[in-house]
Amino acid sequence: MRITKHEHAALRIDVEGRTLLIDPGSFTTAMDNLHDLDAIVITHEHADHWTPEQLERIFHQAPTVPIYTTAAVAAAITDHQPAVVLPGDEIRIGAFTLRFFGGTHARIHESIPQCDNVGVLVNDELYYPGDSFTVPEDVDVKVLAAPVGAPWLKLGEAMDFVLAVKPRHAFGTHDMTLSVVGRGMSLSRLQWATEQHDGRFHVLEPGESIDI
């Protein structure tokens, strides 16, 4: 499995020549070489995790790619028929097995309604929680994509999340809202949390990958 971090929350996962995309949103530049795309996962409805424009670019390369997402996102995508997934669902598509967790976006503020959010476990190896701190129960997480910065995120909570998951490997994501200095500080704290259970933390810039 090759995991490539793109800007903000977007991830590309390649397995056996097939590809999965997660959360190609408004802070992410266009991606190419998607003709072997098996699926897209969109964790929730916010624009930093998906936009119609990003999907249109992807559809030019993979016009029939299935999308797995929440009910709100599925209702907003009118030119395709996304599949709605819920916590507890398991999907097998192409080279990928997808298991979904969570259900609710982390609270930003009491004045802002919470929306549905699904975290995803890919091939029982990579876990990405979307915009939540949901810990997947009874799962030995090999790789954790750990959120770094957001209006809903407190650094101490992100550290506690990593400590609770106990991944063997971790890297930071959801980070375009931070300055260079702030991102570096946050990553160093998540590295500390990862190392408390003998895990290894990887500092990835957009376009960089790790092979697991």
Side-chain angles (χ1 to χ4, degrees):
M1 175 185 288
R2 169 164 288 185
I3 304 163
T4 303
K5 172 186 163 46
H6 290 271
E7 295 92 349
H8 199 53
L11 303 177
R12 173 178 177 146
I13 300 95
D14 291 288
V15 174
E16 298 175 354
R18 307 301 301 177
T19 301
L20 170 74
L21 286 187
I22 301 175
D23 283 357
S26 58
F27 297 155
T28 305
T29 55
M31 289 177 272
D32 55 14
N33 298 320
L34 298 176
H35 302 288
D36 296 321
L37 190 60
D38 277 344
I40 302 170
V41 171
I42 300 172
T43 61
H44 65 282
E45 62 196 72
H46 293 156
D48 58 328
H49 293 256
W50 85 281
T51 66
E53 294 77 14
Q54 283 283 28
L55 290 186
E56 185 63 28
R57 297 185 189 104
I58 294 168
F59 294 153
H60 279 304
Q61 301 178 67
T64 62
V65 61
I67 301 170
Y68 299 98
T69 188
T70 64
V73 177
I77 300 173
T78 57
D79 54 349
H80 267 59
Q81 294 183 327
V84 175
V85 290
L86 300 171
D89 286 351
E90 181 173 325
I91 304 293
R92 292 181 175 85
I93 179 75
F96 300 95
T97 299
L98 310 174
R99 295 171 59 193
F100 296 93
F101 296 84
T104 305
H105 191 288
R107 182 173 294 279
I108 301 171
H109 186 263
E110 62 182 12
S111 66
I112 301 174
Q114 290 177 281
C115 63
D116 291 338
N117 176 92
V118 285
V120 61
L121 179 68
V122 181
N123 289 6
D124 290 326
E125 293 186 315
L126 167 68
Y127 180 59
Y128 174 57
D131 282 11
S132 80
F133 292 128
T134 299
V135 176
E137 295 183 2
D138 301 319
V139 175
D140 179 16
V141 174
K142 188 171 184 180
V143 188
L144 174 65
V148 177
W152 52 269
L153 185 153
K154 180 180 176 181
L155 180 56
E157 294 173 339
M159 295 168 67
D160 285 340
F161 173 64
V162 175
L163 288 169
V165 175
K166 303 176 186 176
R168 284 174 275 170
H169 298 267
F171 64 94
T173 186
H174 208 288
D175 53 6
M176 288 290 283
T177 59
L178 298 177
S179 69
V180 173
V181 173
R183 178 175 178 265
M185 179 187 68
S186 296
L187 291 176
S188 70
R189 296 300 184 185
L190 296 191
Q191 178 176 345
W192 173 88
T194 303
E195 291 174 348
Q196 298 315 293
H197 295 100
D198 298 321
R200 179 183 175 190
F201 191 83
H202 305 259
V203 177
L204 298 182
E205 301 301 328
E208 293 184 342
S209 306
I210 57 174
D211 294 313
I212 302 298

